[in-house]
Each structure stands twice: as C-alpha cells, then as structure tokens.
Amino acid sequence: VRVWWQWLFPLAALAVFLLLWKFRRRTGKGILAGLAAFAALLFPALGFFNVYPMLFSFVADHFAYLALMAGIPLATAALACLACRFLPDSALLTSTLAVPLVALFAWQSFRTAENYQDEPTLWAALLNTNQHWMAYDRLAWLDLPRAVDAGQAGDIQQAHALAKEVLNLDARAIQQKPDRAETHDDDALAYMVLGDPAAAEAEARTGIALAPYLNNGYQALARALYAQGKKDEAVAAQKQGLAALFGRSESLRPALELELGKTLFNMGRD
C-alpha cells in the first residue's frame, strides 16, 4: 500500500464485522452471515492468490460476480425489511414502488450493452472511463491488420494513416506497460507498413529482449532484416527463434518454421 489512507478501507470493513458481532443479538445473525459469505467468496480475488487476469488489472467487476450471490440476497432482504417497516401492509403498493427501481436497472443494462457491439467499441468505451494500457494495446492490435490489408490493396494513404495510429496507441500503452513484448512486435509490423525496416528492426529486437520465448518478435526481426537486404541475418534470426522456442513454446514452432521456409525459398535455397 503506497498511501496511508488506503488502509482505511480494510479497517472500515473489519470495524463493520466487529460491530455486527457485538450487536448480533439486536441485529440478528443474518446480516453478519451474509457479509461473511460475501467476504469469503470475494477473498480469492483480493490479490492474495495468483489469478491470471491480474496480469492486466487488479480490479475488474467480474471478480465480484460469485460474491454477489451472497450480496444480492442480503440487499434484497434489507429492502424488504425497510418496506415492511415504513410502508403500509400492501403488496400492491410495495410492488408498484419496485417498478422504478427495476426500470432503472433495465435502463442501465441496455445502456451498458451498447458498449459490447464489437471489440473496437468496447475498448473505446473503456478509454472514456479508464485510460488503461490494455485498451490502447488492443485498439492498436485491431488496427494493425487493417493497415496491412490496406497496404496490400494499394491504398498507401490509408495504410500509413492506420499504421501511424497503431504507433500512437502503442506509445500510450508502453508508457504504462513498457515490458510488454507483444506491443513492440506490433510496432515493428507498423513500421514495416510505413516502409521503415530499420525502425522495425529496433522494435523487434526490443520485443525479443523482453520475451525471447515468443515467435512474433523473431518473425518481425527477420522481415525487417530481409527488407534491408540482410538476408543471411534474417535466416539467422529465424533459426535463433526456433532455438529459443525449443522445449518452451513448441506450439509456436510451426509458424516460425514456415517463415524460415519462405525466406530460404525466396533466397533460392532448399
């Protein structure tokens, strides 16, 4: 914990449990049991265990989905108790007053659903509320094949515009996550679209240094070297990639072997 006031949150939660335990004869054990169940179900996602999504963020709404199985009944029971205490004994009136609450939740659900039309819309919506590196990285990753396709179709202006957008998005991602090799690999391909193999080589080497067990960096490096006329170095880079993958990421070998075969064929070698 980097700032002292962040300790107030767990201390406040602990204080709530202690108070509920102390006054359990007045409040009943239901509230304490509900909160305890919520805390127990949420505990594995609080950072005490290695959870894969925490490679990208320590906070996510879906971490609380399971715990809400205890939280929602507790909140519903609290509303029902308030209705019994403050409203006349009328089921019709209670149900009628519940309609605006349900309508509010439905409106919020439909409004949020608009963000899930497609992947670009989702990541763009995330950037409106949280400038997270992953959103920048994913938007760049989505633009990259469009840049390559535009270049292959002969639309150089569109290809260059998309490649520059990739580099701009990735630059923001790298500011937050400088050790992500895949981002540098994408930048290498973007520079190839822009016709700058020297810059592509530098990015590919950075990606390899960060993650020598991934094949994308070696492929990007080989393409950049080949484009500069360094054909033997391109072959050496691909062979180095195969050696680095040996015994670690065997599933990635076929793609790199195919690239090596293409390079050798273009050089007139068997």
Side-chain angles (χ1 to χ4, degrees), residues 14-245:
L14 180 60
V16 169
F17 278 102
L18 292 176
L19 289 172
L20 287 174
W21 176 259
K22 181 177 181 179
F23 297 104
R24 63 188 182 279
R25 290 187 176 86
R26 295 177 57 183
T27 62
K29 297 180 180 179
I31 300 176
L32 180 60
L35 288 178
F38 179 83
L41 293 171
L42 189 62
F43 183 78
L46 292 181
F48 296 101
F49 302 96
N50 291 327
V51 181
Y52 179 75
M54 290 182 182
L55 287 173
F56 310 105
S57 175
F58 289 106
V59 180
D61 55 359
H62 58 268
F63 289 165
Y65 287 168
L66 184 62
L68 287 176
M69 289 173 34
I72 291 176
L74 182 62
T76 304
L79 290 174
C81 290
L82 291 173
C84 291
R85 181 172 182 179
F86 296 106
L87 295 178
D89 188 13
S90 172
L92 179 61
L93 178 60
T94 303
S95 300
T96 302
L97 291 175
V99 171
L101 184 61
V102 174
L104 176 63
F105 289 152
W107 173 78
Q108 181 64 32
S109 296
F110 280 110
R111 191 181 73 163
T112 304
E114 295 177 355
N115 297 334
Y116 295 87
Q117 297 178 24
D118 50 44
E119 195 170 356
T121 303
L122 174 62
W123 295 116
L126 176 60
L127 286 179
N128 290 331
T129 57
N130 182 8
Q131 285 69 50
H132 193 273
W133 70 265
M134 190 174 184
Y136 291 116
D137 183 83
R138 296 302 294 179
L139 284 173
W141 182 80
L142 291 169
D143 280 342
L144 189 56
R146 295 172 57 206
V148 174
D149 291 343
Q152 292 175 347
D155 191 349
I156 303 303
Q157 183 177 1
Q158 177 69 2
H160 284 191
L162 287 169
K164 290 177 181 177
E165 180 63 15
V166 168
L167 294 174
N168 180 51
L169 291 167
D170 278 346
R172 298 186 180 186
I174 290 171
Q175 287 179 350
Q176 300 181 38
K177 187 80 171 172
D179 59 345
R180 179 171 167 78
E182 292 90 336
T183 307
H184 293 281
D185 296 341
D186 290 346
D187 280 354
L189 185 52
Y191 276 120
M192 290 296 293
V193 173
L194 290 172
D196 190 351
E201 178 186 349
E203 290 292 341
R205 291 190 184 281
T206 300
I208 292 171
L210 290 170
Y213 49 85
L214 296 178
N215 68 335
N216 289 343
Y218 296 102
Q219 291 187 30
L221 177 59
R223 295 188 188 113
L225 291 170
Y226 193 89
Q228 296 177 79
K230 304 175 183 178
K231 298 180 180 180
D232 290 332
E233 291 184 43
V235 172
Q238 290 171 321
K239 290 182 177 178
Q240 181 185 3
L242 288 171
L245 296 177

